[in-house]
């Protein structure tokens, strides 16, 4: 990625989460466990979905792709952060910084759209069960996944097209453990007000529109569930609860950062940690514990290795 000739900054300094050596060791231990558990948990979900023939429905197809995005999101900045805990001067090249911005917004934009697709899948399954197989066929699922990635990449490119050519000639310290777009824009040697508005409009539009679409669909689903039998309602609510929990955990910090992206508080750094490191882990835990199909497939997979002769 080439940047403007006016740019003199060749690298950025990441201030990280703390300057205390003891606290950094503690954070390294905690985040290492979270990172490894998150990646292994999401890999396990993908393996179970593709290994169990009973999990070939559209819901699990989309869930598998959600886990893949979560794996990607876990790896865009976390490995470098873990290494940087042992480095006094935490630097990242200009190209590396722009790459982090591109990857983060690609994954976030893709996950937003994929969550909308999963919400639509639950809407069809509960509100139009007789037409579910006709509407949510494999071709439609592939289209949903393709649209999710396309929107995420376009969303990211639209940010990067403006950011990469900004004149960076002054301070180069980013008060975070990765290159956060609003913090990087603030370092430009120019009035960034218009850039801030463009960033807010771009990010706010996609996050709020996806969130509102999900809220409307879940309201319709809940109204429909209330009219069904008690047994059908409990099963539908069990699956729906997992979806709603993931949506709240994902869109909560996301909308917060996008609505107030340039007014940062000290707690924002730790919200960034939750958003980029903890959410992928929570997604895998929630879908594993709240989904009967996943729990049944997990028990079957475990028993096949513990007692191979009985299968």
């Amino acid at each position: 990625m080439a940047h403007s000739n006016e740019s003199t900054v060749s690298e950025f300094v990441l201030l990280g989460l703390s300057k205390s050596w003891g606290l950094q060791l503690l954070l390294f231990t905690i985040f290492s466990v979270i990172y490894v558990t998150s990646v292994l948990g999401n890999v396990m979900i993908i393996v179970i979905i593709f290994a169990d023939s009973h999990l070939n429905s559209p819901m699990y197809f989309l869930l598998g792709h959600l886990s893949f995005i979560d794996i990607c999101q876990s790896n865009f900045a976390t490995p470098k952060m873990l290494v940087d805990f042992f480095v006094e001067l935490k630097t990242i090249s200009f190209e590396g910084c722009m790459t982090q911005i591109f990857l983060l917004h690609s994954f976030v934009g893709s996950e937003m759209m994929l969550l909308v697709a999963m919400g639509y899948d639950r809407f069809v399954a509960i509100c139009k069960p007789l037409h579910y197989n006709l509407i949510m066929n494999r071709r439609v699922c592939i289209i949903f996944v393709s649209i999710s990635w396309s929107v995420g990449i376009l969303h990211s490119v639209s940010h990067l097209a403006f950011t990469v050519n900004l004149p960076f000639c002054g301070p180069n310290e980013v008060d975070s453990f990765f290159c956060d777009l609003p913090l990087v824009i603030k370092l430009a040697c120019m009035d960034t007000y218009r850039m801030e508005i463009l960033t807010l409009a771009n990010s706010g539009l996609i996050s709020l529109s996806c969130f509102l679409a999900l809220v409307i669909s879940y309201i319709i689903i809940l109204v429909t569930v209330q009219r069904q039998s008690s047994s059908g309602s409990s099963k539908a609510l069990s699956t729906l609860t997992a979806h709603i929990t993931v949506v709240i955990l994902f869109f909560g910090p996301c909308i917060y950062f996008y609505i107030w992206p340039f007014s940062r508080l000290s707690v924002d750094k730790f919200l960034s940690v939750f958003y980029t490191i903890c959410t992928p882990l929570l997604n895998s835990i929630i879908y594993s514990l709240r989904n009967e199909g996943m729990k049944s497939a997990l028990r079957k997979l475990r028993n096949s290795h513990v007692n191979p002769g009985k299968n």
Side-chain angles (χ1 to χ4, degrees):
M1 297 178 198
H3 49 95
S4 171
N5 291 331
E6 296 179 353
S7 302
T8 57
V9 172
S10 60
E11 65 179 17
F12 294 95
V13 177
L14 304 175
L15 299 183
L17 298 176
S18 173
K19 293 183 179 180
S20 168
W21 173 243
L23 182 56
Q24 288 191 79
L25 282 177
L26 176 62
L27 292 176
F28 171 80
T29 304
I30 294 172
F31 293 148
S32 294
V33 172
I34 293 175
Y35 169 70
V36 172
T37 307
S38 174
V39 172
L40 292 179
N42 282 291
V43 168
M44 180 189 69
I45 288 177
I46 294 174
V47 170
I48 290 175
I49 289 174
F50 284 94
D52 195 319
S53 59
H54 296 93
L55 303 180
N56 60 357
S57 68
M59 180 179 72
Y60 294 107
F61 178 83
L62 297 174
L63 176 57
H65 283 275
L66 178 67
S67 293
F68 176 73
I69 293 178
D70 282 336
I71 293 172
C72 295
Q73 188 170 323
S74 296
N75 283 281
F76 93 95
T78 306
K80 176 171 173 52
M81 180 194 70
L82 295 175
V83 173
D84 282 347
F85 279 129
F86 299 96
V87 178
E88 185 174 353
L89 185 63
K90 305 168 177 51
T91 61
I92 184 171
S93 67
F94 182 91
E95 291 77 11
C97 184
M98 295 300 111
T99 300
Q100 280 194 345
I101 292 174
F102 171 77
L103 292 176
L104 173 62
H105 287 272
S106 293
F107 300 148
V108 170
S110 299
E111 185 157 343
M112 285 182 186
M113 296 302 298
L114 194 60
L115 287 172
V116 172
M118 295 175 73
Y120 179 74
D121 171 76
R122 291 301 84 203
F123 169 79
V124 176
I126 295 174
C127 300
K128 299 180 181 294
L130 298 179
H131 301 90
Y132 179 74
N133 292 328
L134 180 64
I135 297 174
M136 291 300 299
N137 54 59
R138 182 52 61 96
R139 178 174 172 271
V140 171
C141 291
I142 293 174
I143 291 175
F144 277 150
V145 171
S146 300
I147 290 175
S148 297
W149 279 105
S150 299
V151 170
I153 292 173
L154 287 174
H155 166 67
S156 184
V157 168
S158 65
H159 280 310
L160 208 61
F162 295 101
T163 308
V164 73
N165 288 315
L166 288 175
F168 295 101
C169 56
N172 65 341
E173 292 185 342
V174 179
D175 190 15
S176 184
F177 62 94
F178 68 97
C179 282
D180 197 357
L181 179 61
L183 297 179
V184 172
I185 290 177
K186 279 289 190 181
L187 299 177
C189 301
M190 60 175 286
D191 183 5
T192 59
Y193 177 75
R194 291 185 178 180
M195 276 292 300
E196 294 174 13
I197 296 300
L198 285 172
T199 301
L200 177 61
N202 185 347
S203 301
L205 178 63
I206 184 174
S207 59
L208 284 177
S209 58
C210 289
F211 182 70
L212 289 175
L214 285 166
V215 169
I216 293 172
S217 66
Y218 287 144
I219 289 174
I220 296 174
I221 291 172
L222 289 172
V223 171
T224 304
V225 166
Q226 286 184 339
R227 298 174 180 174
Q228 295 178 348
S229 63
S230 58
S231 59
S233 298
S234 59
K235 183 178 180 181
L237 282 174
S238 176
T239 304
L240 194 60
T241 301
H243 284 275
I244 294 176
T245 305
V246 168
V247 167
I248 293 174
L249 290 173
F250 180 81
F251 279 94
C254 185
I255 292 177
Y256 171 80
F257 285 128
Y258 282 168
I259 296 301
W260 297 282
F262 298 95
S263 299
R264 291 303 178 100
L265 304 173
S266 57
V267 72
D268 292 358
K269 188 182 295 187
F270 294 94
L271 282 176
S272 297
V273 171
F274 177 82
Y275 182 64
T276 57
I277 301 175
C278 299
T279 300
L281 171 63
L282 293 175
N283 286 354
S284 62
I285 293 175
I286 291 168
Y287 279 115
S288 298
L289 296 180
R290 296 292 303 177
N291 190 290
E292 289 298 329
M294 285 298 302
K295 288 193 288 186
S296 175
L298 183 59
R299 285 193 296 267
K300 187 187 300 182
L301 182 65
R302 181 188 61 193
N303 292 336
S304 67
H305 291 281
V306 175
N307 301 306
K310 294 184 179 182
N311 292 280

